[in-house]
Amino acid sequence: MTYTIKDMPSPVSPALVKKCTAVETATIGHIRHMGFVDKEIQNVLGQRITLAGTAVTLAIPGQDSTLLHHVIQFLRPGDILCVDRLGDNKHAALGGGVAAAIVATGCVAVVIDGPCTDVPEIEQYGLPVWSRGTAPVTTRIYDIGGSFNVPVSIGGSVVNPGDVVVADFSG
């Protein structure tokens, strides 16, 4: 088991976050061609919202979510947790219990390059989640390893800790 745990990134300035929430991702797409996640990663609740925040990154392998449970304590208001599932699209790393814990930190959203589960509970807790859909098979505490606050791949795009993340109804 190997873990890499790095310091939390500096928060994105509130002024930049405010500007980013005033623009649609499709408008950004008229200017930029890179930095967008795969179109399959969508808001699981179908919310017509635009959010922006500071990227906090996590990479966890296959069926193991040990590190996810550990790092929730470090999430801050305004953060967006970006979870690289390292190619796993079978195991849901986020469900109702984890969503409740994340909401309690003030973290504004989660983006997962993989599935989630317990959508009614996620909706009940009011946590905006972008993922590759849902799955009934969940992760467990296996203590395999993972990385926190390192560059990750989300939907084919590199996300660095501290990047500004903009997410809306288009992706």
Side-chain angles (χ1 to χ4, degrees):
M1 71 195 131
T2 302
Y3 291 96
T4 301
I5 300 176
K6 303 230 175 163
D7 292 336
M8 290 293 286
S10 297
V12 173
S13 77
L16 180 56
V17 169
K18 185 176 180 180
K19 285 182 182 181
C20 289
T21 59
V23 65
E24 293 180 13
T25 57
T27 301
I28 299 168
H30 284 295
I31 301 165
R32 293 184 52 96
H33 294 281
M34 297 175 62
F36 295 91
V37 302
D38 187 275
K39 65 182 179 166
E40 290 181 5
I41 298 177
Q42 292 291 317
N43 185 296
V44 297
L45 301 179
Q47 297 162 309
R48 299 187 58 86
I49 57 173
T50 300
L51 296 174
T54 304
V56 173
T57 63
L58 178 66
I60 51 175
Q63 69 276 21
D64 185 30
S65 60
T66 305
L67 189 56
L68 170 60
H69 292 267
H70 174 71
V71 304
I72 289 172
Q73 66 186 311
F74 301 111
L75 296 175
R76 310 161 296 199
D79 287 340
I80 296 180
L81 181 61
C82 300
V83 184
D84 182 345
R85 297 293 290 117
L86 302 172
D88 181 82
N89 202 29
K90 178 179 180 179
H91 301 90
L94 176 77
V98 172
I102 290 172
V103 166
T105 70
C107 178
V108 296
V110 177
V111 180
I112 306 172
D113 193 348
C116 66
T117 195
D118 300 335
V119 172
E121 289 177 56
I122 291 170
E123 184 173 30
Q124 174 187 344
Y125 296 124
L127 180 64
V129 173
W130 281 258
S131 77
R132 290 188 182 272
T134 60
V137 182
T138 63
T139 56
R140 292 173 182 77
I141 307 298
Y142 288 128
D143 201 21
I144 294 173
S147 299
F148 181 54
N149 282 326
V150 299
V152 296
S153 176
I154 306 292
S157 288
V158 174
V159 180
N160 294 292
D163 282 352
V164 63
V165 175
V166 180
D168 69 7
F169 47 86
S170 293

